[in-house]
Amino acid sequence: MSMKLPLLLLHGALASEAQLKPLARELAGTYAVHPLGFPGHGGRALVPELFTMRQFAAEVLRYLQEQQLEAVHVFGYSMGGYAALAAATQAPTHFRSITTLGTKFDWTPATAALETRFLDADTMQQKVPQYVEQLTRLHAPTPLPNLLQATASLMRSLGGAPLLTPDNLAALEVPVQVLVGELDKTAGVDASRRFADYMPRAQFENILNTPHPLEKVNPDLLHSRIARFIELAEAGMV
């Protein structure tokens, strides 16, 4: 039996567990690493009515049950961080700690409209054709327009009815580390700090000179922040 602490890794929107491979390699020496791919991503079947944040949170809990993992540490990037916290508000005993990076917390109809305005296949094809090609390969056989549509719909429903609220976060007794890049226009430093303040056992850090994309974040820094926070949580110091 491995005595390594289990660490669940959750990817961001329009990505797959491949996004987490470099981080998984880095952390596998110390932890029993479990990268989880969300439905509809990376070639997993896309069922529009199951492509919701509520379902992604349920998927996290289902995975823990399937793998017989009683309580895990989690690193969630962007959307993955939101799904982890949404799952933790429902079943807090399954989580030993959660580190989020670049997670957008402040969902309203207006912020959802801003986030979804570029999620159109034709617009993207004109502006970022290489990215479109990359996404098309990553998510095959799911047609990219379908995935973009489902992602926009998920964001709009979060805008109308966010799963994370000041009230349910204030009741969350799980140690949480909220990391956000200083230059992250998606998550936003102020909103991230505000939501971290709602949680009784949260720590907040603004990472200097760092934008939203995961590959732009210093990997050594990220690795050390995750490891340090897990140690603090295990020692009951958060």
Side-chain angles (χ1 to χ4, degrees):
M1 277 295 286
S2 155
M3 291 313 289
K4 289 180 180 176
L5 292 168
L7 174 58
L8 182 67
L9 303 181
L10 301 173
H11 65 78
L14 300 183
S16 74
E17 61 264 50
Q19 181 183 51
L20 303 162
K21 274 207 175 112
L23 185 63
R25 274 197 299 273
E26 196 66 38
L27 294 162
T30 318
Y31 307 103
V33 175
H34 295 262
L36 170 64
F38 289 110
H41 297 80
R44 286 191 65 185
L46 171 61
V47 181
E49 54 274 22
L50 299 180
F51 198 96
T52 65
M53 188 58 82
R54 200 174 289 285
Q55 284 293 333
F56 290 173
E59 180 77 6
V60 170
L61 297 175
R62 194 177 65 79
Y63 180 82
L64 299 185
Q65 200 174 3
E66 267 179 11
Q67 300 291 318
Q68 298 178 323
L69 295 167
E70 275 176 29
V72 292
H73 294 282
V74 183
F75 169 72
Y77 169 65
S78 196
M79 176 187 85
Y82 201 102
L85 287 169
T89 59
Q90 295 169 40
T93 56
H94 289 305
F95 299 90
R96 298 161 90 120
S97 80
I98 296 172
T99 292
T100 68
L101 168 68
T103 292
K104 182 174 185 62
F105 291 103
D106 62 330
W107 287 99
T108 63
T111 62
L114 277 176
E115 285 302 309
T116 54
R117 71 192 189 283
F118 296 125
L119 288 179
D120 171 76
D122 296 336
T123 311
M124 285 174 76
Q125 185 60 53
Q126 285 163 12
K127 292 191 166 178
V128 281
Q130 283 166 309
Y131 183 49
V132 167
E133 199 179 306
Q134 185 192 328
L135 289 179
T136 302
R137 281 201 306 271
L138 179 64
H139 301 294
T142 298
L144 183 60
N146 298 15
L147 178 62
L148 294 173
Q149 214 173 349
T151 303
S153 159
L154 176 148
M155 289 176 174
R156 280 192 291 270
S157 74
L158 263 188
L163 297 188
L164 300 177
T165 63
D167 287 349
N168 68 12
L169 290 175
L172 183 63
E173 285 296 335
V174 175
V176 177
Q177 173 175 224
V178 175
L179 303 175
V180 65
E182 178 189 25
L183 310 176
D184 187 333
K185 300 279 187 285
T186 301
V189 173
D190 294 343
S192 300
R193 184 183 280 116
R194 188 169 78 246
F195 275 79
D197 283 345
Y198 296 139
M199 295 181 261
R201 300 177 68 185
Q203 293 187 354
F204 171 81
E205 187 181 352
N206 177 8
I207 303 168
L208 297 181
N209 300 319
T210 302
H212 184 70
L214 183 58
E215 58 278 8
K216 298 278 172 69
V217 180
N218 177 326
D220 295 336
L221 180 141
L222 183 56
H223 178 218
S224 75
R225 290 304 185 274
I226 294 168
R228 187 193 62 184
F229 193 68
I230 288 174
E231 272 176 39
L232 289 174
E234 285 293 315
M237 291 170 71
V238 194

